[in-house]
Amino acid sequence: MISTIHDVSPNCYSARVAETNDIPWLNDDEQRMWRQWMGLNAELLATLNREMQADAGLSTSDYQVLVVLTDSAEGRARVSGLASSLQWERSRVSHHVTRMEKRDLVSRRGCPDDGRGAFVRVTETGRAAIARAAPGHVRAVRRLIFDDLTADEISQLGEIFHRLRSRAGWSDE
């Protein structure tokens, strides 16, 4: 068996690693579900990204940044706040914001209270871009996820996601 990055069974490890019986390996059903989840996640994100690029000229990363900024009453956030909201490293935020600045989607200004910090602010071009992208994005999310689920199934998924996030110590935001 050729192992993949998503293998979490004893077969994926080199013979150099000593076998241990105390590892709670995934059973066949759990392994199948894990791989389906990883594949679904990758396929959904890739499809959403392709469609948003084609429809609005934005990447899903651009969209995520713009959502955080436009959800803020001031239309801005500190780089560290963006990193936290997006679950990105600060360096990734900084590089991505630089690319977005070149397209006039956002601007960056120093923080008057902290000479090392910076605010990222959505521009009018950025507001127009997210306004163009949002309807297509919502249609795609509905088509790919919600249209084939019942209200009960959506509720069950919400409960499962909440339980998983709580167990890991993550917030539900």
Side-chain angles (χ1 to χ4, degrees):
M1 170 181 177
I2 297 176
S3 67
T4 67
I5 193 166
H6 304 298
D7 274 348
V8 286
S9 65
N11 296 331
C12 72
Y13 295 97
S14 154
R16 294 176 298 183
V17 176
E19 258 190 69
T20 58
N21 292 328
D22 61 340
I23 304 293
W25 298 109
L26 300 181
N27 65 37
D28 290 344
D29 289 338
E30 292 167 336
Q31 181 71 250
R32 186 173 32 263
M33 180 56 63
W34 175 245
R35 289 182 184 190
Q36 286 177 351
W37 169 253
M38 294 300 292
L40 175 64
N41 188 46
E43 291 165 1
L44 281 172
L45 293 177
T47 299
L48 290 170
N49 194 56
R50 270 192 310 275
E51 290 184 15
M52 189 171 299
Q53 282 283 356
D55 294 346
L58 293 176
S59 68
T60 52
S61 294
D62 294 336
Y63 189 81
Q64 289 176 297
V65 169
L66 292 173
V67 164
V68 172
L69 296 176
T70 57
D71 280 353
S72 162
E74 304 86 26
R76 70 179 188 176
R78 290 182 67 130
V79 171
S80 58
L82 270 175
S84 177
S85 293
L86 299 170
Q87 297 296 303
W88 293 0
E89 295 294 325
R90 287 181 62 190
S91 62
R92 178 180 177 193
V93 171
S94 183
H95 290 295
H96 196 81
V97 164
T98 297
R99 290 190 295 275
M100 291 178 74
E101 280 181 298
K102 291 176 183 173
R103 295 168 30 227
D104 192 36
L105 297 171
V106 299
S107 64
R108 189 180 344 213
R109 300 282 185 269
C111 177
D113 300 334
D114 177 3
R116 297 173 303 165
F119 282 107
V120 178
R121 179 180 300 276
V122 63
T123 63
E124 289 306 313
T125 303
R127 286 187 188 281
I130 196 169
R132 279 191 318 272
H137 179 64
V138 169
R139 281 192 298 273
V141 168
R142 285 199 171 284
R143 185 185 80 248
L144 295 168
I145 300 169
F146 294 108
D147 284 351
D148 287 337
L149 298 177
T150 67
D152 285 344
E153 289 169 330
I154 292 168
S155 179
Q156 289 170 353
L157 275 176
E159 290 170 18
I160 291 167
F161 292 168
H162 172 75
R163 198 166 62 234
L164 293 172
R165 294 183 67 79
S166 292
R167 180 180 175 125
W170 304 324
S171 72
D172 270 344
E173 291 181 18

